[in-house]
Amino acid sequence: MGAAVRVRGLVKKFGNFTAVNGLTFDIEEGEIFGLLGPNGSGKSTTLLIIATVYKPTAGDVEVYGHSVTKRPDEVRKLVGIAFQDPKALWVDNPYELLVWHAMVVGYGLLDARRAVREIMEELEIWEHRGKLFSELSGGTRKKVEIAKLFLQKPKVSIFDEPTAQLDVTTKHRVWEMIRALKDEGRTVIVATNDMTEAERLSDRVGIIYKGSLRALGSPAELKDRIPAGDVLELRVDGALGEHVISALARALGTEKLNVSNGTLKAYVNRGEEKAAIAIETLSRLGVRVRSISIKEPTLDDVFFYFTGAQLGEGK
Amino acid sequence: MRGWAIAIISLRDLERFWKYKWWLAALVTMNLADLFVFALIFRGIVRKDILPDYFLFLAPGIASIAAFAAAFTIGREVMMELRRGFHHYLLSLPISRSELVVGRIAAGMVRGIIYQAPFMALLLALLGFPGIRGMALVSLATLMIVASMSSLSIAASTLVRNLELQATIRSLLYFIAFFLSNVFYPESIIRQRFPEAVYAIIENNPISIATTIYRHVFLPELAPSAEVQLLLAKLFLWTLLLTVGGAQLYARNLER
């Protein structure tokens, strides 16, 4: 499949502030693409440009070959967005807002009412249908916002922080619903600063930091790119001699090994392959392995590695 | 441009119009008080040789003010949307910018026409049916005044990002349009009491033009010399200027 979205040299400035600085990447048709980055990194600005809400200062985005600058009307027919901050005015009620949204995206009135009821029941907000938006909790407002996209089902669905403010059960339900969009062949873009969400949902992840793309690939690929990112932890019978440690270091291709209290830790790439090599090497040297575990780096580690960001920087 | 897209955009604005019931009630009360309190009192005060019946003189002006005031409320919606970031949502919908802009202006127009309807009915009850030509003239004037005022208020609400300044601009425009008009005072008095420049502003204010057309239709003796074709041409120019300019400003200012 080809690219659904092509971002080329995208720049967005607000006065002297550069929010997005030369982004270039593709989003493949039918994938869930995670845009990962801290608050203020330029994620939302990028999404708003793809959704034709903002105009780029330089560069362009193409959605199924339609440029956001040259053919924005065509782009809007293909793209839908659920915003980070739910968009409604205090006098709106969720039901009216969603029925109206459904009609704008092409439903007839009766179909709109039926579809809105279904999605509101699925997200467990039907009981709130007649309340003023100002009376709703943050989580319910968020559900109303994402319900718009599940009604619309555009070819490219953009979710900006879709599960922020949602409880754990609903979060998992929403993830399932997002995966269902992908299963229907739709392209999904999820912006998040929740590493677990990015890892659980995304086929590929783009890490964006201070307006620039710092890394792009599947979560597994990105983890593998961290030098010696996996930790092999081996518990063995008896003490390990120097010759065993040297042989193991050579076999695993790493110098980062340490031993304490009968536990050996080796810092390697591609932990699963190296675990087999470690067991084979130790068996050959007559060392009995009692247990072995592999700890992969998390996306947190990936993020810190590629951005060079420090803990506490976001404060 | 697709008609249904424009209609759906307008529909939302209309639904919202009815949500401010108490505010609407206050607006109607204010306009009715202008007529049934202010005008009735002044009927006994104003010299009969200047105005034989101030109540009847004011009635067409109130219909004009009603259309203007209701059409102008659309700008308040636009301002609130900007404040809450709701315009981002509107900009992301699968409709073209021109459909969005025309839909919003049309919503202001429909608000003005609906709100004016009871005042127009009152005029018909008080002054009688003015004939087909008369009603056509009145309808044309109404359409143009609601289109121009809806566009003006929408444009004013997006001119600057500072929300306080935005509200000030809208209020200022409202008061200029309201007070620098011939709704409350006859032309002869305005000409006597105000400098020529101010008189020119009052005479060419779109609300004054619409009011003069209404008066010409309903009370020909009050505006016998009105050159209706010239007035319609002037109002058309205002409408063209304000709708085209307003639409462009709205579309341009919404997008960053």
Side-chain angles (χ1 to χ4, degrees), chain B residues 148-224:
Chain B
S148 55
M149 293 302 117
S150 170
S151 309
L152 178 66
S153 80
I154 286 172
S157 296
T158 60
L159 267 181
V160 285
R161 291 275 155 192
N162 181 311
L163 296 168
E164 196 184 341
L165 195 57
Q166 222 176 70
T168 310
I169 290 172
R170 279 188 60 251
S171 303
L172 197 64
L173 282 171
Y174 186 91
F175 284 109
I176 289 172
F178 190 89
F179 287 111
L180 291 183
S181 74
N182 65 5
V183 169
F184 295 95
Y185 320 104
E187 217 171 293
S188 55
I189 298 292
I190 295 168
R191 199 186 277 263
Q192 249 178 43
R193 301 289 165 91
F194 290 101
E196 193 57 33
V198 178
Y199 172 73
I201 293 171
I202 293 173
E203 190 192 18
N204 291 299
N205 174 344
I207 294 169
S208 298
I209 298 172
T211 306
T212 308
I213 293 172
Y214 292 165
R215 283 185 183 136
H216 170 77
V217 170
F218 286 104
L219 297 160
E221 68 279 8
L222 283 181

Side-chain angles (χ1 to χ4, degrees), chain A residues 4 63-66 72-80 152-157 187, chain B residues 94:
Chain A
V63 179
Y64 285 96
H66 301 297
D73 291 351
E74 295 306 316
V75 173
R76 275 191 291 277
K77 288 176 192 162
L78 301 167
V79 176
Q152 186 174 350
K153 294 194 172 181
K155 282 186 93 171
V156 179
S157 301
T187 306

Side-chain angles (χ1 to χ4, degrees), chain B residues 8-24:
Chain B
I8 289 174
I9 293 294
S10 302
L11 178 74
R12 181 184 142 274
D13 280 321
L14 270 183
E15 280 175 354
R16 200 158 281 169
F17 187 50
W18 303 122
K19 288 200 172 184
Y20 304 111
K21 294 180 196 79
W22 294 109
W23 181 74
L24 266 180

Side-chain angles (χ1 to χ4, degrees), chain A:
Chain A
M1 280 192 239
V5 179
R6 285 182 198 278
V7 180
R8 292 289 176 270
L10 191 67
V11 176
K12 182 64 185 175
K13 292 182 179 180
F14 297 105
N16 292 327
F17 174 69
T18 304
V20 174
N21 193 10
L23 289 185
T24 295
F25 60 92
D26 287 351
I27 298 171
E28 300 301 322
E29 186 174 9
E31 75 172 341
I32 300 181
F33 184 84
L35 202 52
L36 195 62
N39 298 333
S41 58
K43 298 188 305 285
S44 294
T45 304
T46 305
L47 299 184
L48 289 172
I49 293 171
I50 298 173
T52 77
V53 173
Y54 287 164
K55 286 180 176 171
T57 308
D60 202 356
V61 177
E62 281 183 9
V63 179
Y64 285 96
H66 301 297
S67 154
V68 295
T69 52
K70 297 183 188 87
R71 305 197 66 187
D73 291 351
E74 295 306 316
V75 173
R76 275 191 291 277
K77 288 176 192 162
L78 301 167
V79 176
I81 180 168
F83 293 90
Q84 184 179 357
D85 302 317
K87 301 293 182 197
L89 298 181
W90 71 274
V91 284
D92 290 324
N93 75 48
Y95 181 72
E96 286 172 0
L97 185 73
L98 290 175
V99 168
W100 185 78
H101 181 83
M103 288 171 69
V104 173
V105 301
Y107 287 79
L109 180 61
L110 294 178
D111 284 342
R113 286 178 178 162
R114 181 192 43 74
V116 167
R117 181 171 185 146
E118 278 173 16
I119 195 70
M120 289 185 91
E121 283 176 346
E122 190 162 4
L123 289 166
E124 296 174 343
I125 50 173
W126 179 245
E127 64 189 287
H128 303 295
R129 64 190 176 281
K131 290 182 183 169
L132 292 179
F133 213 76
S134 54
E135 294 169 353
L136 303 178
S137 68
T140 307
R141 289 181 194 190
K142 194 73 189 177
K143 287 182 192 178
V144 174
E145 182 63 29
I146 56 177
K148 290 178 189 168
L149 262 193
F150 292 120
L151 280 169
Q152 186 174 350
K153 294 194 172 181
K155 282 186 93 171
V156 179
S157 301
I158 300 173
F159 292 90
D160 195 354
E161 313 267 359
T163 57
Q165 295 185 300
L166 297 185
D167 58 69
V168 179
T169 322
T170 314
K171 190 182 275 194
H172 283 263
R173 180 81 199 98
V174 169
W175 286 347
E176 272 175 31
M177 291 167 79
I178 290 176
R179 281 191 207 102
L181 288 176
K182 171 191 156 77
D183 293 342
E184 290 170 15
R186 297 171 202 284
T187 306
V188 180
I189 308 171
V190 178
T192 184
N193 54 26
D194 177 343
M195 305 294 172
T196 313
E197 181 164 79
E199 193 156 12
R200 292 274 187 95
L201 275 179
S202 314
D203 298 310
R204 287 193 312 140
V205 168
I207 295 177
I208 185 168
Y209 187 61
K210 293 184 177 172
S212 303
L213 190 72
R214 300 299 175 95
L216 184 68
S218 70
E221 282 168 2
L222 293 182
K223 286 174 187 175
D224 280 346
R225 277 198 235 156
I226 300 183
D230 292 354
V231 184
L232 280 186
E233 208 170 278
L234 298 124
R235 295 182 74 81
V236 296
D237 281 340
L240 286 170
E242 275 301 317
H243 70 287
V244 175
I245 294 171
S246 309
L248 197 57
R250 274 195 306 277
L252 296 176
T254 180
E255 288 176 4
K256 291 178 79 179
L257 284 171
N258 62 50
V259 185
S260 84
N261 298 329
T263 302
L264 182 143
K265 282 186 178 176
Y267 296 86
V268 297
N269 280 336
R270 298 189 300 280
E272 286 176 11
E273 287 172 29
K274 297 292 169 64
I277 295 170
I279 292 167
E280 189 196 322
T281 308
L282 290 171
S283 310
R284 194 160 27 83
L285 295 170
V287 179
R288 186 167 165 260
V289 178
R290 287 168 57 197
S291 69
I292 184 163
S293 65
I294 308 162
K295 272 172 64 183
E296 283 191 336
T298 62
L299 265 190
D300 286 337
D301 300 323
V302 171
F303 173 77
F304 285 121
Y305 175 75
F306 282 107
T307 62
Q310 303 294 318
L311 279 177
E313 202 173 286
K315 284 180 187 170

Side-chain angles (χ1 to χ4, degrees), chain B residues 27-89:
Chain B
L27 206 63
V28 171
T29 310
M30 200 173 74
N31 289 149
L32 287 175
D34 280 339
L35 197 57
F36 288 100
V37 179
F38 178 79
L40 281 177
I41 291 170
F42 269 67
R43 182 156 69 167
I45 297 172
V46 175
R47 277 167 42 192
K48 301 282 180 207
D49 56 318
I50 296 174
L51 274 179
D53 189 330
Y54 188 76
F55 177 80
L56 293 183
F57 168 80
L58 191 60
I62 293 299
S64 167
I65 286 288
F68 152 68
F72 214 76
T73 60
I74 192 72
R76 192 168 149 266
E77 298 292 325
V78 169
M79 192 177 77
M80 285 204 303
E81 288 165 6
L82 282 170
R83 182 175 294 186
R84 307 274 175 200
F86 188 81
H87 61 295
H88 284 170
Y89 169 58

Side-chain angles (χ1 to χ4, degrees), chain B residues 133-152:
Chain B
R133 179 187 170 273
M135 278 315 288
L137 277 177
V138 166
S139 306
L140 206 54
T142 295
L143 274 179
M144 289 198 276
I145 195 75
V146 291
S148 55
M149 293 302 117
S150 170
S151 309
L152 178 66

